[in-house]
Amino acid sequence: MTDLKQQTELLKEHLDQLKKRYEKSQPPEDKRDKAFFLFVKETTEPIYGMLATWEQTALQAVKNRTLNIHPHQITSTRENMELLLMHSFFVDVKRKRYMELNKSVHYIFDQVLRDL
């Protein structure tokens, strides 16, 4: 399961980078700006791929009883990180909500790493 450990650590790094982006960035002037959209898509696409792979690997680990986490928590973590991806670029959610999502994703990532 070192593969899952590496995936989780890498996603945690991305999560920290997203938080920094959220704290430093201003909302785009025009959310329909095609250049900005393409930049966001290009930047986030690899992370979406990593998240999908991580989810499958983590769900398999739960099934094999390597992880002591409910499958729903794995799926929710993927969904929350996807929300953070968008909120980090568009800065379209209140700071409190952003930090709650960030904290919940970190919690599950840390739980995965502890179980491994």
Side-chain angles (χ1 to χ4, degrees):
M1 286 290 134
T2 57
D3 189 39
L4 179 58
K5 184 177 180 183
Q6 290 171 337
Q7 291 173 15
T8 305
E9 288 170 347
L10 186 58
L11 285 170
K12 274 187 70 155
E13 289 175 23
H14 283 295
L15 187 60
D16 292 337
Q17 291 169 359
L18 290 171
K19 182 180 173 188
K20 287 177 188 171
R21 175 180 292 280
Y22 176 82
E23 291 173 335
K24 290 181 182 177
S25 297
Q26 295 296 319
E29 291 183 23
D30 180 12
K31 291 185 180 183
R32 296 183 185 157
D33 180 14
K34 186 167 175 104
F36 182 72
F37 172 79
L38 292 173
F39 166 74
V40 171
K41 183 178 178 188
E42 182 180 308
T43 306
T44 59
E45 219 168 83
I47 302 171
Y48 277 112
M50 277 188 264
L51 269 173
T53 304
W54 175 84
E55 180 184 26
Q56 293 305 313
T57 309
L59 287 172
Q60 188 60 47
V62 169
K63 193 175 182 180
N64 296 342
R65 300 198 187 278
T66 307
L67 295 178
N68 189 21
I69 298 174
H70 196 277
H72 179 70
Q73 290 175 293
I74 299 292
T75 303
S76 293
T77 299
R78 178 192 49 83
E79 292 169 355
N80 288 342
M81 179 116 177
E82 288 175 351
L83 286 172
L84 288 171
L85 276 165
M86 288 298 101
H87 293 321
S88 296
F89 285 90
F90 290 99
V91 192
D92 57 353
V93 70
K94 292 188 186 296
R95 179 176 169 74
K96 181 180 179 193
R97 173 72 177 142
Y98 186 91
M99 293 305 161
E100 288 170 352
L101 286 169
N102 185 285
K103 188 176 179 181
S104 71
V105 172
H106 260 296
Y107 178 81
I108 296 300
F109 284 166
D110 290 340
Q111 184 68 38
V112 168
L113 293 173
R114 271 193 302 275
D115 285 358
L116 295 174

